């Protein structure tokens, strides 16, 4: 592990314990933005983690970023998810900026100014399909204009900048998309929905109407089809899974503490729930190994020669999708097991073994890009995949 | 062969323009082909040419244009004979 990576993970641990965890219940109760934790991430210059060192960033690999998200996820899943989503957007720019001087300057800017970047991929009437846009980029000389009705923008009101999908031009096919970078001064937001949800309440992700006017150089030239398959989808599935792994780890830590307390009160007998703990620890190992394995493979491909081609292949897409589906299911199973172990102590919100927030946060996992949609994509890919 | 590919694209590619008017090297993903549609194109090509695309060929580049598909099919047909 490089010194920059261990420094990043040490900061994630400290911010997790000292700040994110401390405010997690309040953030959850009030469905408010975790500004203490995000300010701490900014203060420790964590928002430039994925930017390479030549631009002043930490140059953290996807694996290191994943562990940072997992660490934060043990303390406040909303903070971890916000951090993950920011890192995903920065990775899209860093890996697909081409020769753009504007985006090279942006990478320096995100490190120096620690600006929080949010994603605007959802849109009314497209039904959650990432690779379809209605809004198009209107070009007038060196300016561009976009109006997009987003059904959800996580931390939209708290972000310093947006990265938005749109059709390359208003007449382009719905899946000929580009990414547009917008600074706060370039857009106005009109909130069109609310965010009073079961879990992940601190991500504050209501719908917004975005009206933007920006310079034409703020459009990434690369096709979004390539950005999605080579960076946005793998980064999302890996970093999201890492946040969920953090939730599962934290829930099981409470269950383990509960079982140890029981065991200490009656030395000589193994508490009956210890058996369930043994079961759940098995599931957690399965989940962790799956996340780690797919992350390593992805990291090798991203560093390797044949990377881009392999990253946009069907076998890799299937593996990524399977990671998302399995971790989103395992996190719920593990938290439920932990709840069964802790019993009423876990069910009570004011107990030190409380697991309500973990369970509610975990339930979002299957819905963030619905698992049924992903299964349908996998079913289609399996029609041509031979596994040879 | 390229005309056959164009016919298959017309039926399964869900492209915005008519596939018959496309240049051999036109980027199909920029004229509306989705991943889902590309799977249908693959299945129709496998059926038509009695071939199976090995997994190493199941990547965007291989199905991104008429000429790329044609080269892949020629390679598989040549290997089979």
């Amino acid at each position: 592990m490089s010194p920059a990576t261990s420094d990043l993970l040490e900061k994630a641990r400290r911010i997790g314990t000292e700040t994110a965890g401390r405010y997690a219940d309040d953030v959850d109760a009030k469905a408010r933005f975790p500004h203490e934790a995000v300010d701490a991430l900014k203060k420790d210059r964590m928002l430039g983690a994925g930017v390479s060192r030549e631009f002043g960033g930490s140059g953290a690999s996807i694996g290191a970023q994943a562990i940072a998200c997992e660490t934060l996820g043990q303390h406040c899943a909303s903070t971890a998810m916000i951090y993950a989503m920011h890192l995903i957007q920065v990775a899209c720019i860093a890996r697909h900026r081409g020769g753009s001087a504007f985006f090279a300057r942006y990478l320096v800017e995100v490190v120096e100014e620690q600006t929080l970047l949010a994603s605007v991929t959802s849109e009314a009437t497209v039904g959650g399909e990432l690779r379809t846009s209605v809004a198009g980029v209107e070009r007038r000389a060196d300016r561009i204009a976009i109006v997009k009705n987003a059904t959800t923008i996580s931390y939209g009101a708290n972000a310093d900048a947006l990265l938005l999908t749109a059709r390359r031009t208003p007449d382009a096919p719905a899946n000929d998309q580009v990414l547009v970078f917008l600074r706060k001064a370039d857009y106005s937001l009109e909130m069109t929905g609310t965010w009073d949800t079961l879990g992940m309440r601190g991500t504050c992700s209501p719908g917004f109407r975005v009206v933007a006017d920006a310079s034409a150089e703020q459009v990434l030239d690369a096709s979004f089809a390539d950005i999605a398959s080579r960076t946005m989808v793998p980064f999302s599935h890996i970093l999201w899974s890492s946040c969920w792994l953090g939730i599962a780890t934290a829930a099981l830590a409470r269950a383990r503490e509960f079982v140890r307390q029981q065991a200490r009160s009656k030395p000589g007998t193994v508490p009956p729930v210890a058996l369930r703990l043994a079961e759940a620890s098995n599931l957690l190992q399965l989940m962790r190994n799956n996340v780690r394995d797919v992350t390593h493979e992805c990291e090798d491909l991203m560093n390797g020669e044949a990377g881009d081609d392999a990253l946009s292949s069907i076998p890799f897409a299937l593996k990524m999708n399977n990671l998302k589906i399995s971790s989103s299911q395992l996190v719920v199973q593990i938290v439920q097991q932990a709840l069964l172990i802790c019993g009423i102590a876990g069910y009570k919100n004011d107990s030190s073994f409380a697991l309500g927030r973990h369970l509610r946060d975990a339930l979002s996992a299957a819905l963030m890009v619905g698992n049924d949609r992903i299964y349908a994509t996998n079913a289609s890919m399996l029609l041509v995949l031979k596994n040879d | 062969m390229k005309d056959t590919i164009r016919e298959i694209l017309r039926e399964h590619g869900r492209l915005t323009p008519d596939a018959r008017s496309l240049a051999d090297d036109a980027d199909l993903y920029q004229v509306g082909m989705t991943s889902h549609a590309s799977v249908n194109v693959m299945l129709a090509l496998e059926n038509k040419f009695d071939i199976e695309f090995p997994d190493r060929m199941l990547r965007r580049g291989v199905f991104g244009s008429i000429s790329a598909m044609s080269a892949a099919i020629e390679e598989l047909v040549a290997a089979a004979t």
Side-chain angles (χ1 to χ4, degrees), chain A residues 175 225 309 314 386-388, chain B residues 32-33 46 53 55 58 60:
Chain A
N175 67 340
D309 214 19
I314 286 185
K386 285 95 192 170
N387 240 343
D388 55 15
Chain B
M33 191 161 75
E46 289 188 336
F53 293 108
D55 290 352
L58 301 180
R60 292 178 62 79

Side-chain angles (χ1 to χ4, degrees), chain A residues 131 168 173 175-176 223 225-226 229-230 306 309-310 312-315 376 380-381 383-388, chain B residues 16 27 29-36 38-40 42-43 46 52-56 58-62:
Chain A
R131 292 283 292 101
R168 193 176 287 276
N175 67 340
D176 182 12
S223 139
D226 291 332
S229 63
R230 293 173 190 169
D309 214 19
S312 60
S313 71
I314 286 185
S380 159
M381 293 193 293
L383 300 178
V384 288
L385 194 65
K386 285 95 192 170
N387 240 343
D388 55 15
Chain B
T16 317
D27 183 343
Y29 295 104
Q30 287 211 355
V31 290
M33 191 161 75
T34 61
S35 318
H36 182 69
S38 74
V39 165
N40 291 332
M42 289 173 203
L43 289 169
E46 289 188 336
E52 283 203 327
F53 293 108
D55 290 352
R56 67 179 168 82
L58 301 180
R59 37 195 72 182
R60 292 178 62 79
V62 175

Side-chain angles (χ1 to χ4, degrees), chain A residues 64-109:
Chain A
Q65 295 179 50
I67 298 178
C69 291
E70 178 189 330
T71 305
L72 289 170
Q74 292 180 29
H75 303 280
C76 172
S78 289
T79 300
M81 195 48 86
I82 291 166
Y83 187 51
M85 290 193 271
H86 166 85
L87 293 175
I88 295 160
Q89 306 314 306
V90 173
C92 290
I93 293 177
R95 287 171 44 76
H96 299 273
R97 66 194 158 80
S100 157
F102 175 86
F103 284 106
R105 281 199 304 276
Y106 164 75
L107 293 178
V108 174
E109 181 183 307

Side-chain angles (χ1 to χ4, degrees), chain A residues 184-197:
Chain A
K184 212 160 184 124
D186 302 325
Y187 61 85
S188 64
L189 291 179
E190 180 198 334
M191 212 194 289
T192 54
T194 56
W195 187 253
D196 181 5
T197 50

Side-chain angles (χ1 to χ4, degrees), chain A residues 363-376:
Chain A
L363 288 169
S364 71
L367 315 175
M368 274 180 78
V369 185
N371 280 0
D372 281 355
R373 176 191 299 276
I374 300 180
Y375 267 129

Side-chain angles (χ1 to χ4, degrees), chain A residues 342-365:
Chain A
C342 296
I344 200 75
Y347 197 67
K348 287 169 87 167
N349 286 327
D350 56 356
S351 118
S352 60
F353 298 103
L355 288 164
R357 172 165 54 83
H358 300 78
L359 184 60
R360 290 182 289 102
D361 287 343
L363 288 169
S364 71

